[in-house]
Amino acid sequence: MKDFMSKLRQYLFIFPIVLVSCANGDIYSEMVENLKKIFSTPDDISAELVNSIPYASMQVRLGRNQNTLIILEEEKDDILKWTSSNLIKIYTKNGFIIRLKGLDNELDLIELDKNHPIELGAFYPDSKGKTFTSFYTFNNPRLYRLPVKTKLSFLKTENIEILDNLYNVKVFEEESLENLISWKFKNIYWVDENDQIIKAEQNFTPKNPKISFTITKQYKKPE
């Protein structure tokens, strides 16, 4: 609620300036459209588009931007490399982003705590309050192996729908604790029956908004 009011005050401050400087009657409809973009959830990628592409895919949204579809480029040592049309590169492990290249401020690598459920590939509802220390490396500016302590908590089970498919998932929240740059964040993971993250809201650098993503077509490793 505090974030909502902060955004609202910011835009209510901007809009009167626009109104004073512009006598065009269309400014009101423009203002309404801008508010819709700020506070509404962007549309999901259509099932038709996802199904038309014969590769594993993921729907991704950075901050309040529109959703975009990115395609699996390769798999190596259980790390999946996804590529967008504008050459953003995202690397995931068990559905968790460990590297993101192509932005001004980049995530070079997250080295997860060896006992982290994502590292182990096993999430348990009784993990409430367990803490882990992972190491984050950033580029532009460079910050090498920042230790970040987090607390992982089980929230609930629920059913979610992705492209007309229903999944029963466990929902976990990961909250940052003390770290050298006082970086505060909360990640949310939706974990399927195979202990894979199929949907998430993840913070990956202090200088970028969080990234929201959903696996729209899962990768099947050749046997």
Side-chain angles (χ1 to χ4, degrees), residues 198-213:
I198 60 172
K199 179 180 176 182
E201 296 177 359
Q202 182 181 339
N203 295 268
F204 60 100
T205 81
K207 290 183 173 292
N208 285 303
K210 69 181 177 183
I211 190 168
S212 303
F213 58 93

Side-chain angles (χ1 to χ4, degrees), residues 51-67:
N51 294 330
S52 70
I53 300 172
Y55 307 108
S57 61
M58 180 165 61
Q59 175 181 283
V60 174
R61 181 175 75 252
L62 187 63
R64 298 299 304 175
N65 291 309
Q66 295 299 308
N67 286 311

Side-chain angles (χ1 to χ4, degrees), residues 2 11 19 47 58 62 98 113 152 166 182:
K2 184 183 293 183
Y11 282 92
L19 288 170
M58 180 165 61
L62 187 63
I98 61 169
D113 188 303
L152 186 71
L166 196 64
S182 300

Side-chain angles (χ1 to χ4, degrees), residues 66-210:
Q66 295 299 308
N67 286 311
T68 187
L69 195 68
I70 63 174
I71 307 302
L72 181 65
E73 181 179 336
E74 67 176 10
E75 181 270 338
K76 184 177 181 181
D77 299 328
D78 294 325
I79 303 299
L80 302 184
K81 178 183 178 182
W82 310 80
T83 303
S84 70
S85 58
N86 58 351
L87 302 182
I88 300 294
K89 307 289 185 180
I90 297 177
Y91 300 76
T92 62
K93 181 173 186 177
N94 293 333
F96 177 79
I97 295 173
I98 61 169
R99 191 180 188 197
L100 198 155
K101 310 291 286 184
L103 301 176
D104 290 337
N105 176 232
E106 296 182 331
L107 172 64
D108 192 57
L109 185 64
I110 299 176
E111 301 168 70
L112 287 167
D113 188 303
K114 65 179 181 179
N115 295 314
H116 198 291
I118 295 171
E119 185 69 29
L120 298 176
F123 284 83
Y124 300 103
D126 63 355
S127 64
K128 184 177 179 62
K130 288 187 177 180
T131 60
F132 307 93
T133 300
S134 302
F135 294 87
Y136 287 64
T137 297
F138 308 118
N139 282 325
N140 303 321
R142 182 70 172 174
L143 181 56
Y144 182 68
R145 299 191 83 238
L146 170 73
V148 177
K149 189 174 182 179
T150 59
K151 179 178 69 176
L152 186 71
S153 301
F154 171 73
L155 298 182
K156 60 183 176 179
T157 60
E158 68 177 15
N159 293 320
I160 62 172
E161 187 175 320
I162 302 175
L163 299 181
D164 300 325
N165 294 312
L166 196 64
Y167 297 88
N168 181 255
V169 296
K170 295 171 288 189
V171 186
F172 292 83
E173 178 185 81
E174 185 169 30
E175 181 179 5
S176 64
L177 301 175
E178 66 264 22
N179 57 77
L180 297 175
I181 60 173
S182 300
W183 182 26
K184 296 181 180 180
F185 62 81
K186 288 183 180 180
N187 297 334
I188 305 293
Y189 311 124
W190 286 260
V191 181
D192 71 6
E193 59 185 7
N194 299 314
D195 284 328
Q196 295 285 309
I197 296 172
I198 60 172
K199 179 180 176 182
E201 296 177 359
Q202 182 181 339
N203 295 268
F204 60 100
T205 81
K207 290 183 173 292
N208 285 303
K210 69 181 177 183

